[in-house]
């Protein structure tokens, strides 16, 4: 089902008051919208509703809705055009010359996935400058490189420098359209070439070269998909310097897109944007949703449309219910995934606990006491002090102090980890040294000169501000004297 407008005076100002039939001028009352609907079938109830809609809209501004029957077989039999959503309705625009009244000189074609935000009469005030159509570009190169012949003949090859226009908005000079025989050429292309993707637009781009059309501002056909940062990351704007693959280059600069967004006259729900009647977009305060305002605007208009607003409300309720169920299912899947990850983490921790328990058990073997004594901070510090003291002026070496600090830091972390472990599972607490079979070996280690040196160093460190390190020097001399007398081990 396609909408067309026509029969309006082009000498219109760009500024309009809010429309109300009672305040229209005689000139405006003599004008009016004529909406032409091209369809291959329409039910009697729908026709009746359209008649009611016409009467309702005429209370605001003069309006007519005319339905034209189209022979769908033209695009089914002896035709190589792929159906879109199981029909060929998008191609009906190609038949407007033979369908619309011959007296009609100008018409405005709008795709059904568009939303007009301002006075539509401004579009008819656009000057076609003797061109066949006024349209907006969408790509700085052909959408496809060629159309494949269905009869084994030469393929139709697009000029690689050809700018592709979007056929969703077309202000058409019907006189020139007919004179150029666009409809006949279009039907010939459908019979001789295989056109799978956006067939109607590909056909019109093949027929209407740049010299036949006038490029208009993006604001009259703003592709809202451009507002999605994810899509913008996949395309390249005009004059943009980038190392990304340049397979889709827009004929607009980044600034032109942003300005068109701010001044949008007509929104076009394409370029990766879901159709509003297919899927509802709910506001989520936790997510950035640049497209929400566009969908909200569409539904605000839909729910105030005479005659059809109740049916549209039911559609919105159904879509909202479906979306909520989808969100609940997504949340459920996320929760299940989190539970699975948690179970995997628990299993991993249990395995680690078993490994630690095995290590602790091994430490409780016959020589565990001596090993534990050697793992104490005093022994570690003492052996380090003795190692560095072999060098002259070792106390001037920064590495000496860094090594001591590193030992103390690692020991502190190990102690903290052990405390956390036994807090979570007291069974991991190590037994007293006295319970080990090699306790006597542990006593020997604690009587080593290096162990006792470490103990004195720890004491000195705790009272360094009271001259602890000075007393430490004297304590070292005492230890050496005791070593010479008792000859205890290093």
């Amino acid at each position: 089902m396609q909408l067309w407008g026509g029969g309006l005076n082009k000498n219109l100002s760009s500024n309009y008051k809010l429309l109300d039939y009672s305040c229209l001028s005689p000139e405006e009352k003599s004008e009016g919208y004529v909406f032409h609907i091209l369809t291959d079938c329409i039910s009697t109830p729908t026709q009746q509703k359209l008649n009611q809609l016409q009467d309702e809209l005429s209370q605001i501004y003069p309006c007519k809705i005319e339905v034209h029957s189209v022979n769908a077989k033209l695009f089914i039999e002896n035709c190589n055009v792929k159906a879109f959503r199981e029909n060929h309705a998008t191609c009906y625009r190609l038949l407007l010359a033979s369908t619309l009244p011959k007296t009609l000189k100008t018409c405005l074609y709008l795709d059904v996935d568009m939303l007009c935000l301002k006075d539509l009469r401004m579009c008819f005030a656009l000057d076609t400058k003797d061109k066949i159509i006024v349209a907006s570009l969408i790509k700085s190169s052909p959408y496809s490189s060629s159309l494949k012949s269905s009869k084994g003949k030469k393929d139709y090859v697009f000029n690689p420098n050809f700018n592709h226009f979007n056929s969703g908005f077309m202000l058409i000079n019907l006189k020139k359209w007919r004179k150029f025989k666009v409809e006949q050429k279009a039907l010939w292309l459908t019979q001789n070439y295989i056109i799978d993707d956006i067939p109607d637009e590909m056909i019109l781009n093949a027929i209407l070269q740049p010299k036949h059309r006038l490029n208009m501002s993006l604001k009259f056909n703003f592709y809202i998909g451009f507002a999605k940062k994810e899509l913008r990351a996949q395309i390249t704007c005009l004059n943009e310097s980038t190392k990304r693959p340049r397979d889709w280059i827009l004929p607009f600069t980044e600034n032109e897109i942003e300005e068109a967004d701010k001044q949008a006259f007509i929104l076009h729900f394409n370029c990766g944007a879901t159709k509003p009647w297919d899927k509802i977009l709910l506001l989520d305060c936790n997510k950035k949703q640049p497209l929400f305002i566009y969908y909200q605007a569409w539904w605000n208009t839909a729910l105030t449309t005479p005659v059809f607003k109740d049916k549209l409300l039911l559609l919105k309720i159904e879509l909202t219910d479906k979306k909520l169920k989808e969100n609940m299912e997504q949340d459920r899947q996320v929760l299940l995934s989190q539970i699975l990850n948690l179970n995997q983490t628990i299993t991993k921790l249990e395995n680690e606990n078993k490994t630690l328990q095995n290590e602790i058990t091994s430490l409780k073997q016959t020589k565990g006491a001596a090993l534990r004594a050697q793992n104490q901070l005093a022994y570690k510090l003492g052996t380090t002090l003795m190692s560095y003291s072999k060098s002259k002026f070792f106390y001037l070496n920064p590495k000496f102090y860094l090594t001591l600090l590193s030992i103390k830091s690692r020991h502190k972390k190990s102690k903290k980890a052990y405390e956390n472990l036994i807090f979570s599972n007291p069974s991991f607490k190590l037994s007293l040294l006295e319970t080990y079979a090699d306790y006597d070996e542990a006593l020997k280690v604690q009587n080593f000169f290096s162990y006792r040196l470490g103990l004195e160093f720890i004491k000195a460190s705790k009272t360094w501000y009271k001259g602890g390190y000075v007393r430490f020097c004297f304590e070292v001399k005492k230890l050496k004297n005791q070593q010479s007398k008792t000859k205890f081990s290093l």
Side-chain angles (χ1 to χ4, degrees), residues 381-403:
L381 290 175
T383 53
T384 302
L385 288 169
M386 291 182 63
S387 176
Y388 273 93
S389 65
K390 296 176 181 178
S391 301
K392 194 175 183 181
F393 303 117
F394 68 93
Y395 48 83
L396 298 178
N397 186 356
K399 187 177 179 181
F400 166 66
Y401 299 100
L402 291 174
T403 303

Tab-separated table of all heavy atoms in Angstrom, residues 381-403:
chain	number	residue	atom	x	y	z
A	381	LEU	N	64.538	-12.889	57.011
A	381	LEU	CA	65.259	-11.623	57.144
A	381	LEU	C	66.714	-11.856	57.559
A	381	LEU	O	67.633	-11.204	57.064
A	381	LEU	CB	64.558	-10.731	58.167
A	381	LEU	CG	63.183	-10.155	57.741
A	381	LEU	CD1	62.554	-9.402	58.911
A	381	LEU	CD2	63.333	-9.231	56.538
A	382	GLY	N	66.897	-12.810	58.499
A	382	GLY	CA	68.254	-13.081	58.989
A	382	GLY	C	69.170	-13.570	57.885
A	382	GLY	O	70.314	-13.102	57.765
A	383	THR	N	68.702	-14.516	57.074
A	383	THR	CA	69.546	-15.035	55.989
A	383	THR	C	69.847	-13.946	54.960
A	383	THR	O	70.944	-13.899	54.391
A	383	THR	CB	68.845	-16.213	55.295
A	383	THR	OG1	67.530	-15.814	54.888
A	383	THR	CG2	68.752	-17.405	56.217
A	384	THR	N	68.897	-13.049	54.720
A	384	THR	CA	69.126	-11.942	53.777
A	384	THR	C	70.169	-10.973	54.329
A	384	THR	O	71.071	-10.523	53.601
A	384	THR	CB	67.807	-11.193	53.499
A	384	THR	OG1	66.840	-12.101	52.973
A	384	THR	CG2	68.021	-10.067	52.503
A	385	LEU	N	70.075	-10.644	55.635
A	385	LEU	CA	71.050	-9.740	56.263
A	385	LEU	C	72.461	-10.325	56.197
A	385	LEU	O	73.430	-9.612	55.881
A	385	LEU	CB	70.650	-9.479	57.715
A	385	LEU	CG	69.421	-8.574	57.932
A	385	LEU	CD1	68.974	-8.631	59.387
A	385	LEU	CD2	69.748	-7.137	57.539
A	386	MET	N	72.553	-11.600	56.457
A	386	MET	CA	73.864	-12.246	56.421
A	386	MET	C	74.418	-12.268	55.001
A	386	MET	O	75.625	-12.097	54.783
A	386	MET	CB	73.767	-13.677	56.969
A	386	MET	CG	73.485	-13.736	58.460
A	386	MET	SD	73.427	-15.429	59.095
A	386	MET	CE	75.107	-15.955	58.780
A	387	SER	N	73.527	-12.470	54.012
A	387	SER	CA	73.970	-12.517	52.622
A	387	SER	C	74.540	-11.177	52.170
A	387	SER	O	75.603	-11.116	51.540
A	387	SER	CB	72.798	-12.922	51.718
A	387	SER	OG	73.171	-12.876	50.357
A	388	TYR	N	73.857	-10.085	52.511
A	388	TYR	CA	74.324	-8.754	52.089
A	388	TYR	C	75.520	-8.268	52.910
A	388	TYR	O	76.328	-7.466	52.439
A	388	TYR	CB	73.185	-7.738	52.201
A	388	TYR	CG	72.305	-7.674	50.964
A	388	TYR	CD1	71.158	-8.447	50.871
A	388	TYR	CD2	72.647	-6.860	49.884
A	388	TYR	CE1	70.352	-8.415	49.745
A	388	TYR	CE2	71.850	-6.815	48.752
A	388	TYR	CZ	70.704	-7.584	48.689
A	388	TYR	OH	69.922	-7.521	47.572
A	389	SER	N	75.640	-8.741	54.186
A	389	SER	CA	76.721	-8.270	55.050
A	389	SER	C	78.104	-8.724	54.575
A	389	SER	O	79.130	-8.229	55.040
A	389	SER	CB	76.486	-8.743	56.488
A	389	SER	OG	76.563	-10.155	56.551
A	390	LYS	N	78.133	-9.659	53.638
A	390	LYS	CA	79.408	-10.111	53.087
A	390	LYS	C	80.055	-9.050	52.216
A	390	LYS	O	81.252	-9.117	51.920
A	390	LYS	CB	79.210	-11.396	52.289
A	390	LYS	CG	78.736	-12.576	53.135
A	390	LYS	CD	78.474	-13.802	52.278
A	390	LYS	CE	77.967	-14.976	53.120
A	390	LYS	NZ	77.672	-16.158	52.281
A	391	SER	N	79.222	-8.070	51.759
A	391	SER	CA	79.742	-6.982	50.920
A	391	SER	C	80.023	-5.766	51.785
A	391	SER	O	79.276	-5.444	52.715
A	391	SER	CB	78.718	-6.603	49.846
A	391	SER	OG	78.412	-7.708	49.034
A	392	LYS	N	81.119	-5.059	51.469
A	392	LYS	CA	81.487	-3.873	52.213
A	392	LYS	C	80.528	-2.731	51.884
A	392	LYS	O	80.152	-2.556	50.726
A	392	LYS	CB	82.922	-3.474	51.870
A	392	LYS	CG	83.514	-2.451	52.828
A	392	LYS	CD	84.977	-2.210	52.499
A	392	LYS	CE	85.598	-1.247	53.507
A	392	LYS	NZ	87.016	-0.974	53.208
A	393	PHE	N	80.151	-1.977	52.873
A	393	PHE	CA	79.209	-0.859	52.707
A	393	PHE	C	77.884	-1.300	52.079
A	393	PHE	O	77.281	-0.583	51.279
A	393	PHE	CB	79.815	0.258	51.850
A	393	PHE	CG	81.117	0.791	52.385
A	393	PHE	CD1	82.285	0.662	51.660
A	393	PHE	CD2	81.162	1.421	53.634
A	393	PHE	CE1	83.480	1.149	52.149
A	393	PHE	CE2	82.364	1.920	54.125
A	393	PHE	CZ	83.542	1.778	53.392
A	394	PHE	N	77.457	-2.510	52.452
A	394	PHE	CA	76.195	-3.028	51.885
A	394	PHE	C	75.019	-2.143	52.249
A	394	PHE	O	74.024	-2.078	51.531
A	394	PHE	CB	75.948	-4.451	52.376
A	394	PHE	CG	75.658	-4.537	53.858
A	394	PHE	CD1	74.354	-4.511	54.330
A	394	PHE	CD2	76.706	-4.650	54.774
A	394	PHE	CE1	74.096	-4.602	55.683
A	394	PHE	CE2	76.446	-4.728	56.123
A	394	PHE	CZ	75.132	-4.710	56.594
A	395	TYR	N	75.128	-1.458	53.405
A	395	TYR	CA	74.013	-0.625	53.856
A	395	TYR	C	73.816	0.610	52.994
A	395	TYR	O	72.850	1.365	53.155
A	395	TYR	CB	74.217	-0.232	55.330
A	395	TYR	CG	75.616	0.283	55.624
A	395	TYR	CD1	75.969	1.611	55.386
A	395	TYR	CD2	76.576	-0.579	56.152
A	395	TYR	CE1	77.246	2.064	55.664
A	395	TYR	CE2	77.855	-0.127	56.415
A	395	TYR	CZ	78.189	1.204	56.163
A	395	TYR	OH	79.453	1.662	56.425
A	396	LEU	N	74.767	0.866	52.063
A	396	LEU	CA	74.605	1.984	51.122
A	396	LEU	C	73.944	1.535	49.817
A	396	LEU	O	73.690	2.346	48.925
A	396	LEU	CB	75.966	2.624	50.816
A	396	LEU	CG	76.706	3.235	52.017
A	396	LEU	CD1	78.056	3.775	51.568
A	396	LEU	CD2	75.861	4.348	52.640
A	397	ASN	N	73.715	0.249	49.694
A	397	ASN	CA	73.128	-0.306	48.473
A	397	ASN	C	71.589	-0.265	48.570
A	397	ASN	O	71.002	-0.926	49.429
A	397	ASN	CB	73.587	-1.759	48.289
A	397	ASN	CG	73.121	-2.328	46.960
A	397	ASN	OD1	72.396	-1.692	46.206
A	397	ASN	ND2	73.547	-3.559	46.678
A	398	PRO	N	70.910	0.502	47.704
A	398	PRO	CA	69.436	0.598	47.764
A	398	PRO	C	68.763	-0.757	47.603
A	398	PRO	O	67.675	-0.985	48.138
A	398	PRO	CB	69.084	1.529	46.596
A	398	PRO	CG	70.336	2.291	46.322
A	398	PRO	CD	71.461	1.377	46.645
A	399	LYS	N	69.390	-1.653	46.846
A	399	LYS	CA	68.803	-2.953	46.607
A	399	LYS	C	68.640	-3.731	47.913
A	399	LYS	O	67.726	-4.540	48.067
A	399	LYS	CB	69.667	-3.731	45.616
A	399	LYS	CG	69.037	-5.041	45.175
A	399	LYS	CD	69.902	-5.737	44.141
A	399	LYS	CE	69.273	-7.066	43.717
A	399	LYS	NZ	70.098	-7.778	42.727
A	400	PHE	N	69.531	-3.481	48.855
A	400	PHE	CA	69.486	-4.141	50.155
A	400	PHE	C	68.162	-3.839	50.859
A	400	PHE	O	67.474	-4.735	51.349
A	400	PHE	CB	70.675	-3.689	50.996
A	400	PHE	CG	70.568	-4.040	52.450
A	400	PHE	CD1	70.574	-5.361	52.874
A	400	PHE	CD2	70.443	-3.038	53.411
A	400	PHE	CE1	70.462	-5.677	54.229
A	400	PHE	CE2	70.341	-3.345	54.751
A	400	PHE	CZ	70.358	-4.665	55.159
A	401	TYR	N	67.785	-2.576	50.867
A	401	TYR	CA	66.551	-2.157	51.545
A	401	TYR	C	65.300	-2.608	50.772
A	401	TYR	O	64.292	-2.988	51.376
A	401	TYR	CB	66.538	-0.635	51.723
A	401	TYR	CG	67.699	-0.149	52.561
A	401	TYR	CD1	68.830	0.388	51.962
A	401	TYR	CD2	67.673	-0.248	53.959
A	401	TYR	CE1	69.904	0.827	52.720
A	401	TYR	CE2	68.741	0.185	54.732
A	401	TYR	CZ	69.860	0.722	54.110
A	401	TYR	OH	70.910	1.148	54.861
A	402	LEU	N	65.406	-2.571	49.464
A	402	LEU	CA	64.271	-3.022	48.641
A	402	LEU	C	64.001	-4.503	48.845
A	402	LEU	O	62.852	-4.953	48.871
A	402	LEU	CB	64.530	-2.734	47.153
A	402	LEU	CG	64.527	-1.269	46.745
A	402	LEU	CD1	64.945	-1.117	45.278
A	402	LEU	CD2	63.139	-0.649	46.959
A	403	THR	N	65.099	-5.274	49.012
A	403	THR	CA	64.955	-6.719	49.230
A	403	THR	C	64.270	-6.999	50.559
A	403	THR	O	63.375	-7.846	50.643
A	403	THR	CB	66.318	-7.412	49.191
A	403	THR	OG1	66.950	-7.143	47.936
A	403	THR	CG2	66.171	-8.917	49.364
